Amino acid sequence: MLKLLGTRVLGTRERDAVVRALGADPVAACMIAARVQQRGLGRSALGGEMWTRGGPERALCFSGGNLVPLAGTRHDVEAFADRALRGPRLCTSLVGRSELAIPMWAVLEPRWGPAREVRSDQPLLALDGAPAVMPDPEVRRVTMDDLAPYLEAAVAMFIEEVGIDPRLHDGGQGYRERVAATIRAGRAWARIADGRVLFKAEVGSYSDRVGQIQG
């Protein structure tokens, strides 16, 4: 009984079951579904671990740079929080639907301390058809020639959104390469005038069903 109620790390052989489980909520799970579909469940490739309690179709949580409760009951997310407290803190943010993330944070906060910000009511927006407005003809795909101004805008947006500077730990080399990789992959668009980015957007993650637009 104790083994059944405990949490465990999902292995590489359970990838297909995890993909099916994430498909039940494709919009909210897009970021993690994309990783699992493209990289599998190996810890180094995935950038973290996928936890379950009772099987992936019942309860799921991703633990990596973000801690992401994906499915389960209140008792499940509390169990995931307890597992996170057993080792060193690995994540910078707790992300997920409020009905999962807020109860998890209630368990974590007494040990981890207060959050920079708690967003208990942040809309999750989705578009499943054609947009209602005409596209801006000045928005174009970003090239590597645009890296400098695009990176400057990306850093500013990151600081405004997350509250920390992504260049702190290594002088910005890691974040610069991440932005450059997005550009090289053809997933960044912007309106740039006189060397200044007026608008930017990129496909941050994409599963086989959903693309996550950020910017």
Side-chain angles (χ1 to χ4, degrees), residues 60-143:
L60 275 175
C61 181
F62 172 78
S63 175
N66 292 320
L67 186 61
V68 188
L70 293 154
T73 66
R74 186 185 189 95
H75 294 302
D76 294 324
V77 297
E78 288 174 351
F80 291 141
D82 181 68
R83 185 183 184 99
L85 289 171
R86 294 180 205 165
R89 178 175 174 175
L90 302 176
C91 66
T92 58
S93 299
L94 175 59
V95 181
R97 289 192 178 275
S98 60
E99 62 267 27
L100 301 175
I102 298 301
M104 176 177 273
W105 180 242
V107 179
L108 297 170
E109 185 177 21
R111 292 273 298 275
W112 283 1
R116 293 187 303 271
E117 183 180 4
V118 176
R119 301 176 183 177
S120 58
D121 185 19
Q122 183 174 9
L124 178 62
L125 306 178
L127 182 68
D128 60 3
V133 297
M134 293 296 293
D136 184 341
E138 298 298 321
V139 173
R140 60 174 175 81
R141 183 167 282 174
V142 177
T143 71

Side-chain angles (χ1 to χ4, degrees), residues 125-196:
L125 306 178
L127 182 68
D128 60 3
V133 297
M134 293 296 293
D136 184 341
E138 298 298 321
V139 173
R140 60 174 175 81
R141 183 167 282 174
V142 177
T143 71
M144 288 301 293
D145 292 338
D146 305 309
L147 177 60
Y150 192 84
L151 177 62
E152 181 181 358
V155 169
M157 184 170 286
F158 191 100
I159 293 172
E160 183 177 355
E161 173 72 12
V162 182
I164 57 175
D165 192 327
R167 302 167 296 185
L168 286 178
H169 298 295
D170 61 358
Q173 183 59 38
Y175 189 69
R176 183 183 189 279
E177 179 51 38
R178 176 179 165 186
V179 171
T182 301
I183 293 174
R184 286 193 293 266
R187 300 194 342 242
W189 284 264
R191 179 173 180 174
I192 304 174
D194 299 323
R196 180 167 173 260

Side-chain angles (χ1 to χ4, degrees), residues 8-22 29 31-52 55-57 59-64 70:
R8 67 179 178 87
V9 178
L10 286 157
T12 56
R13 295 182 179 179
E14 297 167 286
R15 173 193 175 279
D16 291 346
V18 170
V19 169
R20 286 193 299 271
L22 294 174
M31 181 175 67
I32 305 305
R35 288 194 183 195
V36 174
Q37 289 174 9
Q38 296 161 17
R39 308 178 190 179
L41 290 178
R43 179 181 174 84
S44 60
L46 187 62
E49 295 178 338
M50 190 69 78
W51 299 342
T52 190
E57 71 289 342
L60 275 175
C61 181
F62 172 78
S63 175
L70 293 154

